[in-house]
């Protein structure tokens, strides 16, 4: 089973499950890397209009996934994207995208230039930016799209001297750019966005007059060229270094060529395939030849080449270092000795001890364990894996501080790998590929193939965090489930909720969106009910035109932005009446909308109040509006509307006040015209103040009477205004008109404030007994104050006066006061 | 200081980190628009921005000219315009107009709007409706919190109060939630969250949801407890005249974003001086929490000490003198400068505040709080209105009267309102409507209006989501219950007892011993009881909506008495006053813990009421 020679080995992966009459003959074949699916376009070369070609998709083990007759145009090339979607490039430059179940996803064009001059050749390539398509057109120009999910077409510069299709070409990724390497006879060019540069591979044998085939390694680091003289040149893809050159001695052009190399390996090796023959070339002059019974296809992988034929699926690989060390005949490597030791131990032979001793003496036991674990990873046969792991485990027993992680994770990885390599699943990943691709992607692939239970098993087994693992798988399952038309809404909703019940981080809204997209609105609504975050439900509810529900969910979420979104949506969607009705039942939304209207649509605000018969607010609205209007007539009219609304709201107070205001405005206007005084817009108080200050006493009086201004207010007002003008005569007259409602102390104080002690004294006598002391003090009459205080026998007043007396001038007075105080206290 | 401090009062987390985060993000955003650009800044973002990134930093990142957003046509020759604004519809509309005007003039420019702290969908809608959505790029500057001082963090969102409580617009709720989330992600999780008020509850919910979305971090928490409180739980406190130094400075000179501008009457020169007021100011940090009657004495003592320190240099030899000049003189000079400013400020304060009318005003406030001689108070207020002493103060007294008395008698309400309108104009009809909506100034209801209200409430009850609404009408049903609350929580000390303001014995000292701030008393009680148990009566009177949740880090470490466990974060939704902060500082000293105040903005009676006026826009 093992073919050890030049350390290349061939492993059989599967006996193909498909049943192809003619093998791969006359088929267009594309197999996805990382053990992905295989697509066949059968009968493609027959080109008869009666027989349509058949497109078939299989797993790597040959189990059918999809099959349908090809009804579109002539396909030039099939290829797979990094996410396992099938690309079919047609002659006219249209690219059709299918999922691996044969479902049509979308299509895109490679541009007008391509469709006009037709596709001559095309290559599908992968780069860190995704999957790309490169096309050589009938006009011998190259067009490139680096990422089909974000198509930016680039037309590369012309290749000088190109008269017919180049002998061969390949796509490279260098310096974060995709370039094309073209061979025209013996000339080699690199095409990038801007230029076409001629290049020469160092040390290419001079016999060659033409380069007939080329291939780039999986990592884009290495390049192999096959010349018409039968030589294979191998070097770095930047063409700076030659690694080796080997003569195959075959001068016919090959069918396919690929690199067969594992990462970090020092040895270059490439595989060239002719009809019935496969040659592996490496560093030395000799080659390995394999005979092929059947038409085959090479699938380059990260760490080898897969060979798919009509009946078999094999992997050609450089022997991993660890495996070589252990399984090389008569190897004395620590791993080999450990394996031997364990074998003897199983046989219960004391030789086990001898072997162990030998390893331990060189203190290589940990190295031995490491080798066995690593080798196990590279083995495809579970029995061999087990043997190696058992040996490793045995060796571990004699080591005290050996870290267990490598061993444990290898056991886990292998279990997963064995499961997915299984014939029924058909993903023949190597351990190296698995590590490169990551668990996440593997789970994605399993999900994509609808292998949900297996995906969940894997997640659980590898203890992937729920968000990235089980929950994600369940979500995909649910999205798939809701599209099953044969089951009723209730059944599906129940099944989904039961399965997903305790999974963390499930977005029910996503699942519901899927349900809605497949035309099941009722189911979508049912599913949304499970969504705990009400905000998440809103966008879909809107899409489904369930606006009232969307609005209440948005409000529930407490996210005002979301509420706004719904409100604005509804505003455009519904007629005004319905819209208002809906807002009316949702005060939160209503107040938000009102805020918006205040700045954007004043009139809408009015309509809103109107609809609600909110006369109070309408009144307020008009009052506010009246202050924005400059024209008096408009202001009065608006105030009249306000009055009407206030009456409707049964708010007599506001109505009356507003009527007063209208009267005041008219009055102010009239006076403005007559007396040329700026008055309009003043408050009643300010109006009266102004009138008094300019001496229009009569008019002020009129306002006082008309507007039933309280006496006190008017007296204060007039008092201040007259004092301000220092119109003492008028003040005195005013003071005598009737008994002052505010008393006479303010008169005294106002006069003092205007530094008129003389006038102030006039009013002291009129002050009520309670305020006498204060009044006397205000005018600085200590005697009078003392008299008044003593007369009133008020202790605190006496003290106040005392505190104002100065010991030098008021000596006698103080004595009197002190005596009076003593009696007052006694009393 | 007079109080005995706990020797081991816990240290506070370093909040300057928040500034650094904000600065770095802003720079990143500015660099998104490479090349020279003119920057337009919302007026109310100017001061906060200055605390994060000064002009030099902005210039370093190719900001050419700086303009204040004035909602007027602009004069700018730059080809790139950057707008740093709050997410307000009005401002966005103005920008749209600019863009459209440029279009008409055939002028090509690049426009970038940076919304802070977040973008609202409504703003984008405006851009769309005005047809400029494609011409403008938008970004968010997640500048949620400005540390004003060691223990004060502000969201600098004065409009939070009006939007949330008056307009029923809840868009700032998520902002507050995000602010908490930010604190949590930088400083660790909290072990316990308490709160009261509808908005507090929503903020908590929003915060919790944000936490669930993001990754969970287990960190040693830097705060133990969080207390969320709605401003409308306690309107009495911010309506009272402030008499603690810092509060008084705010009432008189208006502290803006942690700094104050002292006018010529304070600086005793012909120019104004801008001073930062925070714990860095050694003089200020010692007097900020003092009743103003003590401040002057303290300052003069301080002046004497300073003189002694200066006098040291007499009789020094050269060597000593050198050391003195090198080490002490600068500090002394700095202290000298600050001292003279604060002396100037307190002088000006004494001049205004010891006058007869201020004493009478305080007396009236205290009577209202005690519920004593209400008739006289009404007469006083009436005179206050008639004499047009102060538009805001009159309104403040009216509100205080209404809240403490559970609304005014119809007769009083109408007469006072009519007189107020005569004094200040009819547009205040709208102000009164607003005050009524908030429950600040009400007419004691008779039958008729009640039925209107009931029908409205009834309509809402039919609605499923009624529990989640902030309906403006609910405040109609809300009774302030101040008198009962005051009795139950002993907010007003028994009158007649002497209260020595130099040796405060409880939080009442911040109001001359006349009243313990309700908000602070609630915090004290809840922390003491570790929840709301035993306070059912109180919460019922406050309209419920209280909650207490044990937070994420419920592990045993939460119980350990680390420093962090004695740090309490108090978030005021709708603003808090300096008096409340002083009261909490006092409480912290008494209980050996530290309070960190997070507020949507610093407020006082004037700001609170000005927010409710409706005479301008």
């Amino acid at each position: 089973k093992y073919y050890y020679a030049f350390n290349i080995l061939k492993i059989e992966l599967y006996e193909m499950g498909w049943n192809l009459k003619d093998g791969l003959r006359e088929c267009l074949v594309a197999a996805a890397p990382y053990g992905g699916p295989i697509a066949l376009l059968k009968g493609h070369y027959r080109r008869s209009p009666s027989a349509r070609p058949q497109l078939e998709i299989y797993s790597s083990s040959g189990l059918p996934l999809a099959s349908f007759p090809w009804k579109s145009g002539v396909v030039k090339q099939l290829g797979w994207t990094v996410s396992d979607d099938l690309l079919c490039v047609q002659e006219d430059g249209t690219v059709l995208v299918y999922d691996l179940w044969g479902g049509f996803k979308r299509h895109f064009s490679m541009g007008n230039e391509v469709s006009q001059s037709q596709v001559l050749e095309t290559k599908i390539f992968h780069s860190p930016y995704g999957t790309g398509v490169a096309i050589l057109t009938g006009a011998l120009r190259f067009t490139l799209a680096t990422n089909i999910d974000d198509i930016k077409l680039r037309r590369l510069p012309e290749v000088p001297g190109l008269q017919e299709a180049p002998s061969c070409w390949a796509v490279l990724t260098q310096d974060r750019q995709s370039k094309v390497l073209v061979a025209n006879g013996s000339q080699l060019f690199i095409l990038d966005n801007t230029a076409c540069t001629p290049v020469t591979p160092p040390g290419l044998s001079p016999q060659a007059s033409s380069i007939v085939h080329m291939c780039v390694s999986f990592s884009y680091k290495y390049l192999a060229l096959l010349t018409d003289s039968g030589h294979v040149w191998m070097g770095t893809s930047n063409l700076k270094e030659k690694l080796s050159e080997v003569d195959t001695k075959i001068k016919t052009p090959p069918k396919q060529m690929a690199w067969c190399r594992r990462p970090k390996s020092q040895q270059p090796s490439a595989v060239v395939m002719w009809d019935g023959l496969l040659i592996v070339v490496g560093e030395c002059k000799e080659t390995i030849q394999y005979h092929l019974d059947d038409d085959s296809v090479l699938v380059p992988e990260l760490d080898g080449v897969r060979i798919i034929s009509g009946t078999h699926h094999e992997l050609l690989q450089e022997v991993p270092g660890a495996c070589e060390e252990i399984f090389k005949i008569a190897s004395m490597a620590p791993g080999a000795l450990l394996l031997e030791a364990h074998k003897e131990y199983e046989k219960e032979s004391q030789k086990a001890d001898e072997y162990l001793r030998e390893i331990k003496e060189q203190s290589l036991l940990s190295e031995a364990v490491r080798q066995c674990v690593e080798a196990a990873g590279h083995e495809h046969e579970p029995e061999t894996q087990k043997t190696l792991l058992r040996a490793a485990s045995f060796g571990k027993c004699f080591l005290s501080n050996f870290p267990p992680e490598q061993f444990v994770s290898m056991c886990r990885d292998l279990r997963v790998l064995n499961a997915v390599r299984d014939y029924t699943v058909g993903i023949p990943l190597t351990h190296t590929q698995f590590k490169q691709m990551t668990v996440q992607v593997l789970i994605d692939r399993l999900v994509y193939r609808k292998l949900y239970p297996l995906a969940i098993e894997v997640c659980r087994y590898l203890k992937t965090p729920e968000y990235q693992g089980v929950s994600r798988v369940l979500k995909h399952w649910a999205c798939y489930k809701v599209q099953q038309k044969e089951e009723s809404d209730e059944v599906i909703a129940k099944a989904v909720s039961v399965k997903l019940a305790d999974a963390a981080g499930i977005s029910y809204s996503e699942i519901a969106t899927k349900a809605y997209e497949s035309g099941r609105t009722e189911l979508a609504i049912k599913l949304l009910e499970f969504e705990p975050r009400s905000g998440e439900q809103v966008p879909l509810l809107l899409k489904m035109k369930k606006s009232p529900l969307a609005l209440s969910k948005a409000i529930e979420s407490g996210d005002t932005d979301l509420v706004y979104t719904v409100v604005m949506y509804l505003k455009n969607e519904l007629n005004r009446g319905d819209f208002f009705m809906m807002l009316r039942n949702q005060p939160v939304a209503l107040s938000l909308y009102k805020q918006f209207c205040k700045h954007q649509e004043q009139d809408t605000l009015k309509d809103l109040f109107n609809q609600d018969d909110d006369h109070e607010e309408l009144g307020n609205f008009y009052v506010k509006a009246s202050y924005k209007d400059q024209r008096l007539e408009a202001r009065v009219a608006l105030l009249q509307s306000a009055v009407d609304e206030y009456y409707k709201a049964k708010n007599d107070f506001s109505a009356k006040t507003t009527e007063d205001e209208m009267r005041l405005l008219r009055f102010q206007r009239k006076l403005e015209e007559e007396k040329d005084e700026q008055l309009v817009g003043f408050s009643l108080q300010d109006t009266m103040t102004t009138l008094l200050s300019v001496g229009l006493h009569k008019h002020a009086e009129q306002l006082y009477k008309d507007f039933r201004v309280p006496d006190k207010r008017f007296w204060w007002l007039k008092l201040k205004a007259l004092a301000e003008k220092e119109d003492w005569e008028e003040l005195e007259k005013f003071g005598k008109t009737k008994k002052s409602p505010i008393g006479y102390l303010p008169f005294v104080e106002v006069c003092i404030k205007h530094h008129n002690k003389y006038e102030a004294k006039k009013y002291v006598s009129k002050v009520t007994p309670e305020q006498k002391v204060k009044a006397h003090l205000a005018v600085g009459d200590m005697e009078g104050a003392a008299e008044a205080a003593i007369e009133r026998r008020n202790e605190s007043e006496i003290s106040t006066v005392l505190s104002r007396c100065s010991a030098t001038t008021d000596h006698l007075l103080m004595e009197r006061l002190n005596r009076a105080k003593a009696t007052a206290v006694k009393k | 200081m007079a109080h005995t401090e706990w020797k081991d009062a816990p240290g506070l987390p370093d909040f300057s980190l928040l500034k650094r985060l904000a600065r770095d993000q802003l720079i990143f955003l500015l660099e998104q628009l490479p090349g020279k650009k003119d920057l337009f800044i919302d007026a109310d973002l100017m001061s906060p921005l200055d605390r994060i990134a000064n002009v030099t930093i902005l210039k370093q990142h190719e900001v050419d000219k700086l303009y204040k957003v004035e909602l007027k046509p602009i004069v700018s020759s730059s080809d790139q315009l950057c707008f740093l604004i709050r997410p307000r519809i009005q401002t966005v509309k103005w920008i749209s107009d600019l863009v459209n005007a440029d279009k008409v003039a055939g002028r090509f420019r690049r426009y970038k709007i940076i919304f802070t702290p977040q973008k609202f969908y409504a703003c984008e809608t405006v851009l769309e409706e005005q047809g400029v959505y494609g011409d403008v790029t938008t970004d968010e500057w997640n500048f949620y919190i400005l540390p004003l001082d060691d223990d004060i963090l502000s969201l600098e969102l004065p409009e939070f109060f009006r939007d949330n409580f008056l307009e029923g617009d809840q868009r700032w709720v998520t902002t507050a939630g995000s602010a908490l989330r930010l604190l949590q992600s930088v400083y660790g999780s909290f072990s316990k969250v308490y709160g009261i008020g509808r908005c507090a509850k929503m903020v908590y919910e929003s915060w919790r949801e944000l936490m669930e979305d993001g990754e969970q971090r287990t960190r040693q928490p830097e705060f133990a407890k969080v207390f969320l409180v709605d401003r409308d739980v306690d309107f009495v406190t911010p309506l009272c005249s402030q008499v603690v130094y810092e509060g008084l400075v705010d009432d008189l000179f208006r502290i803006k974003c942690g700094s104050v501008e002292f006018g010529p009457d304070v600086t005793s020169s012909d120019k104004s001086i801008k001073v930062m007021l925070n714990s860095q100011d050694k003089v200020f940090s010692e007097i900020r929490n003092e009743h103003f009657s003590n401040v002057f004495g303290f300052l003069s003592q301080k002046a004497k000490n300073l003189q002694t320190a200066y006098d040291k240099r007499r009789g020094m030899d050269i060597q000593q003198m050198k050391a003195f000049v090198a080490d002490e003189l600068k500090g002394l000079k700095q202290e000298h400068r600050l001292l003279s400013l604060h002396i100037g400020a307190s002088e000006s304060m004494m001049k205004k505040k010891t006058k007869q009318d201020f004493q009478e005003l305080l007396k009236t406030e205290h009577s209202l709080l005690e519920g004593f001689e209400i008739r006289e108070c009404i007469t006083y207020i009436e005179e206050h209105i008639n004499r047009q002493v102060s538009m805001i103060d009159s309104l403040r007294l009216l509100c205080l009267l209404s809240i403490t008395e559970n609304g005014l008698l119809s007769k009083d309400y109408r007469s006072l309102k009519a007189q107020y309108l005569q004094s200040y104009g009819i547009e205040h009809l709208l102000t009164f409507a607003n005050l009524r909506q908030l429950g600040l100034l009400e007419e004691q209801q008779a039958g008729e209006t009640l039925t209107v209200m009931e029908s409205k409430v009834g309509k809402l009850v039919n609605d499923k989501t009624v529990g989640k609404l902030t309906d403006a009408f609910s405040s109609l049903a809300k009774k302030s219950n101040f008198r009962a609350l005051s009795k139950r929580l002993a907010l007003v000390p028994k009158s007649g007892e002497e209260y020595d303001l130099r040796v405060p014995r409880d939080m009442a000292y911040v109001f001359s011993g006349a009243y313990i701030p309700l908000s602070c008393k609630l915090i004290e009680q809840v922390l003491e009881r570790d929840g709301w148990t035993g306070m059912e009566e109180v919460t019922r009177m406050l309209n419920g909506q209280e909650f207490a949740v044990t937070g994420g880090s419920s592990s045993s470490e939460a119980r350990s008495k680390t420093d962090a466990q004695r740090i309490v974060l108090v978030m005021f939704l709708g603003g808090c006053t300096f008096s409340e902060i002083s009261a909490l500082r006092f409480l912290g000293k008494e209980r050996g813990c530290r309070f960190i105040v997070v507020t949507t903005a610093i407020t006082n009676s004037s700001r609170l009421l000005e927010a409710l006026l409706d005479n301008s826009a």
Side-chain angles (χ1 to χ4, degrees), chain B residues 89-107:
Chain B
I89 291 173
Q90 235 179 334
T91 326
V92 177
K93 203 163 170 223
W94 168 72
I95 296 171
S96 307
D97 291 345
L98 287 184
V99 177
N100 280 325
D102 279 354
K103 273 190 190 167
V104 170
R107 193 164 178 178

Side-chain angles (χ1 to χ4, degrees), chain B residues 230-247:
Chain B
D230 279 15
R231 185 68 276 172
D232 69 352
V233 166
D234 173 16
F235 273 137
V236 174
T237 307
L239 286 175
C240 292
S241 294
Q242 305 198 66
V243 288
V244 169
Y245 186 71
E246 191 167 10

Side-chain angles (χ1 to χ4, degrees), chain B residues 382-432:
Chain B
E382 199 171 357
E383 196 183 309
H384 203 269
I385 296 170
N386 279 335
R387 294 175 57 191
Q388 287 195 294
V389 179
S390 149
M391 181 175 94
I392 291 292
D393 265 348
S394 296
L395 212 50
R396 181 167 71 83
L397 289 170
L398 282 173
C399 292
L400 213 48
L401 172 67
S402 165
I403 298 179
T404 51
E405 289 295 299
N406 257 350
L408 275 66
L409 292 175
S410 236
K411 177 174 67 79
D412 293 332
Y413 178 77
R414 287 174 186 216
S415 117
L416 288 168
K417 185 168 163 187
Q419 297 194 42
Y420 193 89
L421 294 176
Q422 285 186 355
S423 272
Y424 299 108
I426 189 204
E427 61 267 39
H428 287 288
L429 259 186
L430 307 178
T431 309
F432 278 92

Side-chain angles (χ1 to χ4, degrees), chain B residues 6 18-19 40 45 68 174 223 264 285 305 374 435 443-444 502 507:
Chain B
W6 274 51
L18 295 172
K19 283 199 215 174
F40 291 78
L45 273 174
K68 192 154 77 174
T174 38
F223 319 111
S285 71
N305 295 347
I374 296 303
L435 292 173
E443 187 175 355
Q444 282 176 8
R502 268 166 304 178
M507 293 188 280

Side-chain angles (χ1 to χ4, degrees), chain A residues 90-106:
Chain A
Q90 293 191 155
E91 208 167 33
D92 60 355
T94 311
V95 182
L96 292 92
V97 187
Y98 290 86
D99 64 22
L100 59 71
W101 300 102
F104 177 73
K105 286 178 94 169
R106 65 193 175 98

